[in-house]
Amino acid sequence: MSVSENFRALLGEIDLARARRTVAEGEPITLVAVTKTHGVELMRQAIDAGATDIGENRVQEAAEKFPSLERNVTRHLIGHLQTNKVKLAVKLFDVIQSVDSIHLATALNKAAASVQKVQDVLIQVNLAREVQKSGVAPEDLPQLIDAVDAANNLNLRGLMMIAPLVADAEECRPLFCRMRKIFDDLKPTRTGFDLLSMGMTHDFAVAVEEGANVVRIGTAIFGQRP
Ligand SMILES: *Cc1c(COP(=O)(O)O)cnc(C)c1O
């Protein structure tokens, strides 16, 4: 199958999953095409097929690939960000999904201020408490939200989660559901807080059923990464 066939099939599957939802029926779902490790040619094929959002997990790789992209594509950083890369990150990305510490938020705020930008960010939550994954522990989330709120050049748009990789995505349903509840509890008191990013190739259907409105998908569009 080609990238464009994969992309269209995926849009259909996302719609089907949304139709099975009990929360936020009909809300739009953003498909972020994750192009990490793939070349500019495949990136272009996804955009030609209708991709509006591109995700990369490494700043340096994005710096090499993004110059050949048109401006009207929304660029997401989905991987862990080190503070020594924040200057480049605020220049390259429209949405930084991986804010997970006050230290990083402070550095990002400073970098965004230095280029007179208000940077859209998501806070990554390590809800499953996996030691090998980044993300803020759920009990530390309120403090990090306060820090991002206090940062004039950061705009908190929502939350991001990476579910554990398990054989059966159904096992992650309670986790997705809990994340949606945390998101829904925060939403009414905030403005512009509208993105809940969860769901990848192996678990996006369950994530969307439980209320994700951003999914980050690579393999189902581009095939296995090299
Ligand atoms: C690679 C990656 C994805 C996409 O994973 P697939 O399984 O290829 O869909 C999504 N989110 C993050 C954070 C990633 O690093």
Side-chain angles (χ1 to χ4, degrees):
M1 289 246 280
S2 68
V3 164
S4 72
E5 285 170 311
N6 290 343
F7 189 82
R8 270 189 299 259
L10 196 50
L11 288 179
E13 288 176 49
I14 289 168
D15 276 344
L16 287 174
R18 181 176 47 190
R20 291 190 293 269
R21 261 186 183 194
T22 55
V23 294
E25 288 160 58
E27 109 185 299
I29 293 172
T30 300
L31 169 52
V32 176
V34 177
T35 48
K36 67 185 186 200
T37 76
H38 298 298
V40 170
E41 173 52 31
L42 284 187
M43 208 155 158
R44 173 126 329 271
Q45 286 180 28
I47 291 164
D48 289 345
T52 57
D53 292 68
I54 292 287
E56 285 284 338
N57 71 331
R58 292 179 52 236
V59 175
Q60 196 49 48
E61 188 178 339
E64 285 157 24
K65 288 151 73 175
F66 283 177
S68 56
L69 276 187
E70 48 271 80
R71 195 50 244 182
N72 64 354
V73 173
T74 303
R75 299 134 201 252
H76 300 253
L77 179 64
I78 60 173
H80 181 66
L81 177 58
Q82 289 169 330
T83 48
N84 63 352
K85 302 261 172 61
V86 291
K87 275 204 159 150
L88 191 50
V90 299
K91 288 190 190 135
L92 289 169
F93 293 99
D94 301 299
V95 185
I96 294 176
Q97 298 202 6
S98 49
V99 173
D100 64 356
S101 71
I102 293 176
H103 179 62
L104 176 59
T106 305
L108 262 180
N109 184 52
K110 210 170 138 202
S114 76
V115 294
Q116 279 148 26
K117 178 186 187 186
V118 176
Q119 176 69 56
D120 279 354
V121 299
L122 307 186
I123 290 177
Q124 181 179 348
V125 185
N126 188 358
L127 199 58
R129 299 171 186 283
E130 290 180 281
V131 285
Q132 73 278 23
K133 283 209 181 114
S134 40
V136 68
E139 65 272 17
D140 296 332
L141 177 60
Q143 244 193 320
L144 181 52
I145 289 176
D146 286 347
V148 174
D149 283 346
N152 286 329
N153 290 77
L154 301 182
N155 180 32
L156 182 58
R157 293 289 308 277
L159 303 175
M160 186 267 245
M161 181 186 84
I162 303 172
L165 185 57
V166 291
D168 183 0
E170 275 301 328
E171 284 177 43
C172 294
R173 186 178 294 279
L175 213 55
F176 290 130
C177 182
R178 261 171 61 210
M179 197 71 237
R180 176 77 200 202
K181 288 209 174 92
I182 293 170
F183 176 76
D184 281 344
D185 285 346
L186 289 163
K187 202 175 173 193
T189 62
R190 314 187 59 85
T191 48
F193 186 86
D194 52 5
L195 303 179
L196 179 58
S197 173
M198 49 187 198
M200 306 166 42
T201 290
H202 71 285
D203 59 15
F204 74 87
V206 180
V208 167
E209 284 165 17
E210 294 303 327
N213 61 24
V214 178
V215 291
R216 312 171 307 264
I217 298 185
T219 309
I221 300 172
F222 303 107
Q224 289 294 339
R225 280 179 288 277

